[in-house]
Amino acid sequence: MLKPASEYGVVGVAVVLLALSGCGSSSGGSDGDDPTPTRAAAKDKGPVCVGSAPADGVHVLRGGGFRLPGGGGVRYVAADADGTSRTATLGDGAVYTSGGRQWNVRPGTELTVSGHGYTVRQICSYRVVLEPKSAEDGDALAAAPKSRKATGGSADAGLCFTTNRSVLDTAAKGFPAEDETLSVLDNGGVQRFPTGLSLTVSYVDSAAGTAGLGANCAAVGVAAYKDVRLGDSVEFAGVLFKVSELTEEAVRLKRTSA
């Protein structure tokens, strides 16, 4: 079974989404190993989101990474909320490497990744949204991919790490319609989608009422949502869901965005 990406290991296809808007969530922590819960996880104190997301922003999903123009990348490593404010820890690189730089950020924080500038515009429990400073980087992120057909592995980078509206629309059409439910089975299998995204359930802890979801795309763990609860929001390929049911057999996600 493919595992969600982490600071200590690579995630299973899913990319992360991860990964990886609306707002709701899993509890804090970094993109660490596959969790095997032994106690009830602490509930995120909120607020779910702070700041405003631009329409063409880069969505870096909780526990996952995103490849950026120029060969760099960034990961949403950890979240912190105290009931009135929210911050995040971002890591340099779409995948973990020993000794990599980290940033503690809030909306308005500016950072430079591989020589390219970005501004943090929104922090949610399930994502961080970045805005490129240069028009050139914005254009690179929105460029149409060479192929719109997913083949698997790193060749799908143009489908997985993009703000291109056509690609995101294709990804959105691969999920159930708004207000309908996506079931991700807890059987070690991988659920695949048209733009190269794959989802897995890493665990369900019925006693604690929590579960773990992983996403992988273009050989990068794009999301690793730990300890999600009923009502929490998660995002995959630009589409928002709320956790609507947790059973030993599946995690069910109700689509909440168009």
Side-chain angles (χ1 to χ4, degrees), residues 27 46 48 54 68 76 85 95 101 116 129 136 157 164 174 193 216 256:
S27 68
V48 178
L68 295 167
Y76 185 173
S85 63
V95 296
R101 183 180 179 186
H116 298 254
V129 181
E136 292 80 5
N164 181 273
F193 297 89
N216 186 290
T256 57

Side-chain angles (χ1 to χ4, degrees), residues 87-161:
T87 60
T89 301
L90 301 182
D92 193 5
V95 296
Y96 173 75
T97 56
S98 178
R101 183 180 179 186
Q102 292 190 342
W103 302 271
N104 293 318
V105 302
R106 62 187 66 248
T109 297
E110 298 183 348
L111 58 151
T112 300
V113 182
S114 297
H116 298 254
Y118 297 87
T119 303
V120 177
R121 292 302 184 196
Q122 185 185 55
I123 300 175
C124 297
S125 56
Y126 53 89
R127 75 177 185 198
V128 169
V129 181
L130 307 178
E131 184 175 40
K133 289 186 176 182
S134 76
E136 292 80 5
D137 287 339
D139 290 344
L141 284 159
K146 294 180 180 178
S147 172
R148 295 181 184 275
K149 183 177 181 180
T151 58
S154 58
D156 292 337
L159 298 171
C160 300
F161 309 114

Side-chain angles (χ1 to χ4, degrees), residues 27 34 41 50 78 86 129 157 168 190-191 196 214 257:
S27 68
D34 240 6
V50 293
R86 177 173 287 283
V129 181
L168 294 177
V190 176
Q191 192 160 348
S257 67

